[in-house]
Amino acid sequence: MEKFIISALVQNHSGVLARVSSLFGRRGFNINSLTVSPTTNTEFSRITIVVVGDEYTMMQVLKQMMKLEECVEVAPIEEEEAFCHELVLVKIRGDVAARESVRELCALYHADVVETSDESIIVRMDGTPSQIDTFLSIIDSFDIVESSRTGVTAVHRDRKDA
């Protein structure tokens, strides 16, 4: 199974997010993450959805979303062709040695230690979804108490024609 990023420009009306998310539930599609934000035009919002599935699943999601009256534009986003970013916070329990190991990994992955106590350490990292996935797989061997990801937000890069 693969992760696909989909960006949708939607009319900024109440109930739009409910209609979009219920579309996924009715069709049996799994949402990995979902972010919604206003645009510079108050009439529209941007929804960024990460869907887990295969190519067929992504194509079905795109087709179904375009059928929604409130969807103005729906497009897949390739991580390499866009500026994709998200944030993760991770609380890790451990003794002094474990916390020091976490600090060393943070330095390697450009993550920040935002809080330390006698029992735990809280780490913040922002980056592309694949960078976040890699970092989380590396620190998975520690005693992770809690973690939270914001979900992906993305903007297409300018295309450079050859």
Side-chain angles (χ1 to χ4, degrees):
M1 294 300 226
E2 209 174 330
K3 289 183 183 178
F4 295 97
I5 303 170
I6 297 171
S7 177
L9 185 65
V10 298
Q11 295 173 357
N12 193 13
H13 298 157
S14 62
V16 172
L17 180 58
R19 285 180 50 97
V20 169
S21 61
S22 68
L23 176 146
F24 281 78
R26 286 192 315 268
R27 301 288 189 270
F29 301 138
N30 187 31
I31 297 174
N32 186 271
S33 77
L34 183 142
T35 60
V36 182
S37 61
T39 65
T40 55
N41 183 336
T42 58
E43 294 181 24
F44 301 102
S45 292
R46 174 77 54 194
I47 298 177
T48 307
I49 304 167
V50 177
V51 181
V52 177
D54 55 15
E55 190 78 27
Y56 176 79
T57 301
M58 186 194 62
M59 294 310 294
Q60 289 302 308
V61 168
L62 293 172
K63 287 178 187 176
Q64 295 300 320
M65 287 185 70
M66 279 309 298
K67 290 181 182 178
L68 292 177
E69 186 177 307
E70 297 90 353
C71 283
V72 176
E73 176 185 294
V74 179
I77 293 180
E78 296 291 329
E79 191 174 307
E80 302 79 32
E81 297 174 4
F83 184 79
C84 300
H85 224 67
E86 71 176 309
L87 170 77
V88 64
L89 296 172
V90 184
K91 182 177 182 180
I92 303 166
R93 186 178 340 219
D95 59 14
V96 174
R99 290 194 307 269
E100 190 55 38
S101 295
V102 170
R103 285 181 191 281
E104 290 172 10
L105 287 170
C106 287
L108 287 172
Y109 287 91
H110 307 290
D112 299 312
V113 174
V114 293
E115 187 172 297
T116 304
S117 72
D118 291 339
E119 294 87 30
S120 65
I121 186 169
I122 299 176
V123 174
R124 173 186 62 214
M125 182 183 175
D126 62 285
T128 65
S130 56
Q131 290 169 331
I132 301 284
D133 290 341
T134 300
F135 178 70
L136 290 175
S137 69
I138 297 296
I139 65 166
D140 192 46
S141 60
F142 293 96
D143 183 10
I144 297 176
V145 177
E146 184 177 357
S147 72
S148 181
R149 288 175 82 156
T150 59
V152 178
T153 190
V155 175
H156 276 104
R157 297 181 194 271
D158 288 336
R159 291 190 170 92
K160 295 178 183 170
D161 297 323

